[in-house]
Amino acid sequence: MLSRSSDTLWDIAAAEVCSRESRTDEEDAEEDAHFPTQRTVFFMGSKAGGKTTILLRFLDRDETAKPTLALEYTFGRRARGHNTPKDIAHLWELGGGISLSDLVQIPMTADNVSSLSVVLVLDLSKPNVLWETMERLLDSARSQVEKVCASHQKTGESRYGKQRVPRVLHKDYPDRELISPFPVPLLIVGSKFDIFQDFDSEKRKVICKTLRFIAHFYGASLIFTSSKSEATMSKSRSFVNQLAFGTERPKSISTDPSKPLAIPAGFDSLSQIGPPVTSDVDIGTLHAKNPLDLWKKVFERVFPPEERKELKDPAKDPQYNETLIDSIRAQKDQMWCKSYLEMKFPECHKE
């Protein structure tokens, strides 16, 4: 764009804005092709559910997965072609299952929400904690995205770029008026299929139908994987690639409960999923507040949620045990308590 020497910086900036607003989508796409993109993918899900394994497979790293401590960051790069800048994917992983869900605010910010996507990994071998894990983590993530969006509306700022946040499904999306799409692209991964496939067939059917409903309700893609199956891990990598680098989305579909599910967003429907699986109760007697609540009540009749004490302090989590460090920490705590009592209550420590 040419400018007159008499133009001020504001004149040039205003003209550039007008020029960009008048461009067509094709012109935008042509210009974007010359610049690298940066996207953020946030992995969260079941504790020890296989998030790191999926992430390492996506990065093509031949490493042994280690427990994730709180929140970890890495990145991946991918060139679109010869002598072209590499696109960057910022990759965050939340450890600890639901115990550290408050940390979602760190990777989900105003600066990246327009290029953000979420991967929720659910351990299929532990169905009794599956619903709570899904519900707590998605609620935390949705709340953070809505908080970011609300702050922009309040200040009048706009950093969203071309992607609309919260996202809006196209008018032909199946059951568009009956579902509640997650505000950013979402991929749900059911891990440990190798254990799940040995479940009773009726229980497999309940889990499969429930996860299909959840994925469709949130406008998400759904796949089942096993670290022992190269075919399923390769498919998971393709789905993550699509989120991280904008590659073409896999189109193969599998809805057979005896096989690993693979259903891209928009390729399922309520009519294909059918009603919840119930054999011992009349659905009308469950007094559900909405369809999601109905599926929850039915699912938890088959897989009652576990009552467990939530571990607030990750330093006390058994998976992070370090004998030497823990021993030193215990000695330090004892010394601190002794010093505190001697200073505040000297009468208690008279010889």
Side-chain angles (χ1 to χ4, degrees):
M1 180 182 65
L2 298 175
S3 61
R4 300 185 300 274
S5 59
S6 60
D7 285 348
T8 67
L9 181 61
W10 292 111
D11 292 332
I12 296 172
E16 176 64 17
V17 170
C18 291
S19 173
R20 291 186 180 186
E21 289 179 346
S22 64
R23 286 202 298 253
T24 63
D25 290 342
E26 290 76 12
E27 289 172 331
D28 279 337
E30 184 178 351
E31 180 175 333
D32 289 345
H34 299 291
F35 295 94
T37 63
Q38 294 194 46
R39 294 181 173 88
T40 299
V41 184
F42 179 38
F43 290 76
M44 59 184 187
S46 303
K47 183 177 178 179
K51 300 180 294 295
T52 305
T53 300
I54 294 170
L55 185 53
L56 290 174
R57 182 66 179 84
F58 163 68
L59 293 171
D60 202 20
R61 293 182 187 169
D62 187 16
E63 302 175 16
T64 301
K66 300 177 182 179
T68 301
L69 179 61
L71 186 67
E72 296 187 3
Y73 168 83
T74 187
F75 67 92
R77 295 188 295 177
R78 181 179 184 273
R80 299 187 203 178
H82 185 61
N83 288 333
T84 59
K86 290 185 177 180
D87 294 334
I88 300 173
H90 302 283
L91 308 168
W92 292 86
E93 181 186 355
L94 179 68
I98 62 176
S99 64
L100 301 174
S101 58
D102 290 346
L103 295 181
V104 300
Q105 60 187 305
I106 296 175
M108 307 176 80
T109 68
D111 292 320
N112 66 22
V113 70
S114 66
S115 59
L116 173 71
S117 56
V118 172
V119 178
L120 176 66
V121 180
L122 299 173
D123 187 343
L124 297 175
S125 71
K126 299 178 180 177
N128 297 85
V129 295
L130 187 150
W131 191 284
E132 182 188 16
T133 300
M134 176 277 300
E135 188 173 53
R136 289 277 296 276
L137 291 176
L138 288 186
D139 283 352
S140 295
R142 180 190 285 273
S143 177
Q144 176 62 16
V145 172
E146 290 176 347
K147 180 180 177 182
V148 169
C149 294
S151 68
H152 278 296
Q153 292 175 356
K154 193 173 182 179
T155 59
E157 296 178 23
S158 177
R159 302 183 198 176
Y160 298 154
K162 299 179 183 68
Q163 179 173 309
R164 190 169 178 180
V165 181
R167 67 184 177 127
V168 176
L169 302 179
H170 61 80
K171 60 185 179 70
D172 296 325
Y173 198 95
D175 311 307
R176 183 171 179 265
E177 303 302 324
L178 302 174
I179 61 179
S180 178
F182 201 68
V184 297
L186 173 65
L187 168 64
I188 298 177
V189 180
S191 64
K192 302 188 181 181
F193 178 80
D194 52 303
I195 300 175
F196 168 79
Q197 66 182 349
D198 293 330
F199 282 16
D200 173 78
S201 62
E202 285 304 308
K203 290 185 176 181
R204 286 203 313 268
K205 186 177 180 182
V206 171
I207 295 172
C208 286
K209 290 192 71 170
T210 301
L211 286 179
R212 284 180 65 184
F213 172 80
I214 291 170
H216 184 59
F217 184 78
Y218 287 119
S221 295
L222 173 65
I223 56 172
F224 283 4
T225 67
S226 167
S227 60
K228 299 179 180 180
S229 166
E230 177 57 29
T232 63
M233 294 303 291
S234 178
K235 186 162 293 187
S236 73
R237 185 185 185 191
S238 297
F239 274 88
V240 176
N241 247 318
Q242 194 270 328
L243 297 177
F245 297 119
T247 57
E248 186 175 359
R249 183 176 61 182
K251 295 180 180 178
S252 61
I253 301 174
S254 174
T255 58
D256 186 344
S258 66
K259 299 178 181 178
L261 297 185
I263 310 173
F267 282 73
D268 214 343
S269 67
L270 296 176
S271 60
Q272 290 176 307
I273 297 169
V277 180
T278 57
S279 57
D280 61 341
V281 64
D282 179 1
I283 290 181
T285 64
L286 294 178
H287 306 294
K289 296 177 290 187
N290 51 54
L292 189 65
D293 189 44
L294 172 62
W295 281 84
K296 177 181 180 179
K297 289 180 182 296
V298 171
F299 185 82
E300 292 186 342
R301 285 183 69 89
V302 181
F303 302 105
E306 292 182 358
E307 290 192 15
R308 51 195 174 84
K309 294 181 180 179
E310 190 171 321
L311 210 59
K312 293 293 184 182
D313 185 357
K316 298 177 182 177
D317 193 323
Q319 76 167 316
Y320 304 129
N321 280 349
E322 291 286 351
T323 305
L324 179 60
I325 295 175
D326 293 343
S327 175
I328 295 172
R329 173 63 185 269
Q331 292 176 22
K332 183 178 178 181
D333 289 343
Q334 289 173 4
M335 291 174 63
W336 184 89
C337 290
K338 183 179 179 182
S339 299
Y340 170 74
L341 291 172
E342 289 175 347
M343 285 189 298
K344 298 295 183 181
F345 310 101
E347 67 277 7
C348 296
H349 289 267
K350 290 180 180 180
E351 295 292 337

